[in-house]
Amino acid sequence: QVQLVESGGGLVQAGGSLRLSCAASGRTFSNYLKAWFRQAPGKEREFVAAISWNGDSTYYEDSVKGRFTISRDNAKNTVYLQMNSLKPEDTAVYYCAARFGSYVSRRSGYNYWGQGTQVTVSS
């Protein structure tokens, strides 16, 4: 059974940091593009960041550029999202996703999803 399992969410004050992890099991995703999405209450799930299979290319949504960093360790079948200078508007459930192919930001382009981890940023 293929699984993506996120961890690392929690409650943090504005200006603080969190590091999310997404561990894969059931198959290797070393040649898959990996991404993070988020969904705030009452809003659609939106793209946050993505990383190519070999880590050479990264992509970010404009509002997180310079604050968030996506990385991956293929030996551990894990992708990370380092989130710094967090703002209340970053509050959401964060999901990791994977796809075999080139970068896309649309949700429908991803085949595999985790169950999500809650990030809450207090003001």
Side-chain angles (χ1 to χ4, degrees):
Q1 182 180 359
V2 176
Q3 280 191 311
L4 296 176
V5 180
E6 301 95 335
S7 61
L11 174 64
V12 64
Q13 289 189 331
S17 298
L18 282 175
R19 188 193 194 205
L20 305 184
S21 299
C22 174
S25 63
R27 67 165 299 146
T28 180
F29 285 95
S30 59
N31 56 345
Y32 277 58
L33 181 131
K34 292 282 192 67
W36 288 93
F37 286 72
R38 65 186 179 186
Q39 187 166 17
K43 295 188 177 181
E44 292 190 354
R45 194 171 300 186
E46 65 174 3
F47 171 79
V48 175
I51 187 167
S52 61
W53 70 273
N54 59 2
D56 282 355
S57 298
T58 56
Y59 312 87
Y60 296 95
E61 191 270 330
D62 285 347
S63 69
V64 307
K65 285 180 181 177
R67 300 189 299 123
F68 291 10
T69 303
I70 189 170
S71 61
R72 66 191 295 162
D73 184 338
N74 285 340
K76 296 182 178 179
N77 224 6
T78 300
V79 63
Y80 306 96
L81 186 67
Q82 177 67 44
M83 304 186 295
N84 299 328
S85 302
L86 282 162
K87 305 176 181 180
E89 51 264 44
D90 294 318
T91 295
V93 177
Y94 283 71
Y95 299 88
C96 70
R99 69 175 257 113
F100 184 74
S102 58
Y103 162 69
V104 297
S105 62
R106 66 181 188 277
R107 175 182 175 180
S108 62
Y110 291 80
N111 309 99
Y112 298 96
W113 291 88
Q115 83 292 344
T117 185
Q118 176 70 48
V119 171
T120 303
V121 184
S122 63
S123 57

